[in-house]
Each structure stands twice: as C-alpha cells, then as structure tokens.
Amino acid sequence: MAISEQWASYREDDVGKAQKVKEMILSDLWWDKVDYILEFIAPIYDMIRVADTDKPCLHLVYEMWDSMIEKVNVAIYRHEGLEDDEYSSFWSVVYDILIDCWTKNCTLLHCLAHSLNPTYYFTEWLLENSKRIPPHRDHEISMERSKCLDRFFEDVNELNVVKSEFAAFSGGRFPSPAVLTDRWVFQPLVWWQYHGSAFPTLQTLALKLLGQPCSSSCAERNWSIYKFIHSLKRNKMAPARVEDLVYVHSNLRLLSRRNAEYINRDTKMWDIVGDSWNESDIHEGAGMLENAALTLDEPELEAMVIGNVSTSVTTSESEVRSEAIDLDDDEVGV
C-alpha cells in the first residue's frame, strides 16, 4: 500500500502522518517489534482461548496459568537478552498485571480440581519441568483445597473421610501398580471413572469437578441457537416447542459433524449459516456474523468461516478437507 502510486495522493491530506506510516510499514525494526509483541501475547491468548470453551477444563486452569506466565517470562527475557536472575522492568509490569488477573479469577474450585488431576502426581509429568511439584506438596494449593473441602463437606465425619481418601490418593496408595501408570495414560475423568472406586467419596466429587467447563461459552451458544430458531420469521412458537427444537438442533449439529457430508456435500457447514445464507446475499444475509458465535469452542472452524467469506464464497471441497477439524472430543449430549 505504502509504495503504491496512489499513496502520493493521500499524502496531500496529511504529509506528516502519511510519511510516518510509510516509514513504519517499510521498517524491519517496526515489524520486529510487532513479532515480539505477538510472541509474548500468544501464550496469554492461547490460554484464554482454551478456557473459553464448553469442554471440561476446570482441572487444567491452574497449570495453564503457571505455564502461560512462564512462557511469557521466557519470551520477554529472551528478547531483552537477560539471564533468569536479572531484573526486567517490563516483565515486572506484565507480571503484576497477570497476577492481578489471576487473583480476580482464581477460585477454590480451580485449586481443588487441580489437586484431583491424577496426571499431576505422575513422575513423567513432574520431570518435564524441574520447578513442578505435586499438588499435595504445594502450600498455596493445599491451603485453598482445604478451604474448599471445609465448605463442601459440612458434616465432620464426611470431611474426615474425604481427607483420608485424598491422603491415600495423593500418596499413591493404590491396590494395583497399574493404577499408577494409568494416571499418565488415561484422561483424568476416565481415570476416576475406572479406578476411583477405592475412594468413593472423593470419586463423586472428582467426577463433578473434572467434567466442568470454566466459562459460559456453552450457555452463550445455547442462546445463539435459541435466537437462530426463534427469529423474526418464526416468533409465534410456544416456549416448549422452541426448547425442543434447540435440543434437537444442538444434537443434530454435533452428530452431523462426525459425517463426511458435513465437509464435502451440499449441506456442508449447515449450522454456521442463517436463514438468508446464499451466494448472492452473502454480505447482507442474517447468518454469517451472527451465527459465527456457534463456533466459539472451535477456533479452526471459526477461522475457516471468516476466511471463506473474505476470500471466496464457493470454497472448493479440497480446500475444506485440508482444514477439516478433529471432532473426536465433541459430546453428543446437551
């Protein structure tokens, strides 16, 4: 843009600003700064993006925050050429901002769910980073976990039982050595379903927490579907009928994404479009932007929708296949 012949006509309006913009666009130093900003912002964005889904991730938040802060620290120190024990004024400001955000958003449930994740007690996970310690040896997590258990179990006898079960769980006292290995092999929820019978009270609590999302994305998507069904064109349906249609629509949406027709047939991506979606009405249709919210838990699909609109309305089947999304983690129940 800046080297175009038409740029000179723009400079007549404000030569100073135009020259400054041109210098920035053509400056390698300026683009290096942009790369640096993206480098230390990316871990923050990725962490928030993972948390802003309807998939169970309450038990992952605490560790994701720790890893995110460490990655930001590494990016800043590498850019400034500093050693780990040296002081960085910029990192100090960024760190304070991140800690303030974490303090506002962290709850007792994050610490308790983190403590109930069997992966974080396994030797292989601990050896990946020398700074890692199992949750039962972390003072902050232990204090928050105790507060949460005290509030959850009002009966003293039940509280004592769950404390004993947690001590056995965190200490690795299992009836079979295979249980220890499975902490690394299986997903935490699967592990508790299969091996948690040795700790019945703790198992009930773990299954509740490890199946919880940590954002309202699932509710927001449900509202979007409701708005899509109960639209201006269909505004006389009874509430019960609308609720049934939302239920059916949501489950059909999840089921259809497991089929090849969703990617390469005429009905591909049927749930991302609105009432007026067609090639001639792509910019004025009711569907594209409004119903893109349905893909909040799938960044790849969201990018594919927006990318298709900005490049071409009729994306070829081969292009769609190349950006096919892994839907193995989707669940059919709503």
Side-chain angles (χ1 to χ4, degrees):
M1 178 182 67
I3 62 176
S4 170
E5 295 179 356
Q6 298 179 357
W7 187 253
S9 62
Y10 170 76
R11 295 195 321 184
E12 295 176 357
D13 297 332
D14 195 324
V15 178
K17 288 183 180 179
Q19 183 61 28
K20 184 177 181 180
V21 170
K22 182 175 182 178
E23 290 175 356
M24 286 192 299
I25 292 176
L26 300 180
S27 171
D28 291 337
L29 180 61
W30 185 80
W31 285 109
D32 289 341
K33 292 179 180 179
V34 173
D35 288 338
Y36 169 52
I37 293 172
L38 294 176
E39 184 179 4
F40 76 80
I41 289 294
I44 303 174
Y45 174 81
D46 292 340
M47 184 267 164
I48 296 175
R49 203 68 173 88
V50 171
D52 189 28
T53 68
D54 60 358
K55 295 182 175 63
C57 59
L58 183 66
H59 57 292
L60 304 174
V61 173
Y62 197 96
E63 171 58 24
M64 287 194 299
W65 265 97
D66 275 351
S67 300
M68 178 267 291
I69 291 177
E70 184 176 349
K71 291 176 182 178
V72 175
N73 174 270
V74 170
I76 293 176
Y77 269 66
R78 182 171 57 241
H79 178 79
E80 296 183 354
L82 301 175
E83 298 295 333
D84 293 341
D85 56 349
E86 294 185 272
Y87 176 77
S88 168
S89 58
F90 180 64
W91 162 244
S92 178
V93 174
V94 173
Y95 178 78
D96 289 341
I97 294 174
L98 294 176
I99 293 300
D100 287 343
C101 292
W102 173 239
T103 303
K104 293 176 182 178
N105 290 279
C106 179
T107 68
L108 302 179
L109 290 176
H110 287 127
C111 296
L112 179 57
H114 178 84
S115 299
L116 295 178
N117 190 336
T119 304
Y120 299 148
Y121 297 88
F122 194 69
T123 306
E124 187 169 342
W125 180 83
L126 295 172
L127 293 178
E128 288 180 354
N129 191 324
S130 59
K131 297 180 181 179
R132 289 177 176 174
I133 58 175
H136 69 293
R137 293 179 54 193
D138 188 297
H139 178 69
E140 178 186 356
I141 294 176
S142 298
M143 294 295 294
E144 299 298 297
R145 179 183 63 247
S146 297
K147 293 178 184 178
C148 191
L149 291 177
D150 290 342
R151 293 173 60 179
F152 195 85
F153 296 96
E154 297 180 356
D155 185 85
V156 178
N157 294 327
E158 287 186 352
L159 181 60
N160 291 333
V161 169
V162 78
K163 286 181 178 179
S164 299
E165 291 183 357
F166 181 79
F169 162 73
S170 59
R173 297 195 293 271
F174 302 117
S176 170
V179 181
L180 294 172
T181 306
D182 288 346
R183 291 190 297 187
W184 182 256
V185 176
F186 292 140
Q187 293 293 326
L189 192 61
V190 176
W191 187 93
W192 275 104
Q193 289 172 330
Y194 192 80
H195 297 295
S197 58
F199 321 104
T201 307
L202 200 62
Q203 182 191 43
T204 302
L205 179 60
L207 294 179
K208 289 180 179 179
L209 291 179
L210 301 185
Q212 289 291 327
C214 57
S215 78
S216 61
S217 294
C218 47
E220 292 170 359
R221 182 174 309 101
N222 212 43
W223 299 332
S224 298
I225 295 175
Y226 194 101
K227 183 179 179 181
F228 169 64
I229 292 175
H230 194 273
S231 62
L232 293 175
K233 296 182 178 180
R234 297 184 295 266
N235 60 4
K236 295 184 179 181
M237 289 186 291
R241 173 65 63 86
V242 178
E243 291 177 5
D244 290 342
L245 290 175
V246 169
Y247 180 86
V248 172
H249 179 99
S250 299
N251 282 278
L252 285 176
R253 168 178 171 265
L254 295 176
L255 287 171
S256 69
R257 292 192 179 187
R258 298 178 181 272
N259 300 326
E261 289 81 357
Y262 184 81
I263 298 175
N264 52 26
R265 295 291 178 89
D266 294 337
T267 57
K268 63 184 178 183
M269 302 173 68
W270 64 270
D271 57 326
I272 310 302
V273 301
D275 293 341
S276 302
W277 178 277
N278 57 64
E279 297 182 8
S280 61
D281 193 30
I282 188 169
H283 294 294
E284 298 180 2
M288 196 279 291
L289 294 177
E290 202 168 74
N291 293 287
L294 300 178
T295 69
L296 282 175
D297 62 334
E298 297 166 8
E300 295 88 350
L301 182 57
E302 185 177 353
M304 190 163 73
V305 173
I306 303 301
N308 287 347
V309 173
S310 61
T311 55
S312 173
V313 177
T314 55
T315 306
S316 66
E317 293 183 5
S318 60
E319 290 173 338
V320 175
R321 290 196 197 98
S322 67
E323 300 183 35
I325 301 160
D326 183 9
L327 302 173
D328 292 341
D329 295 334
D330 272 350
E331 296 187 12
V332 176
V334 175

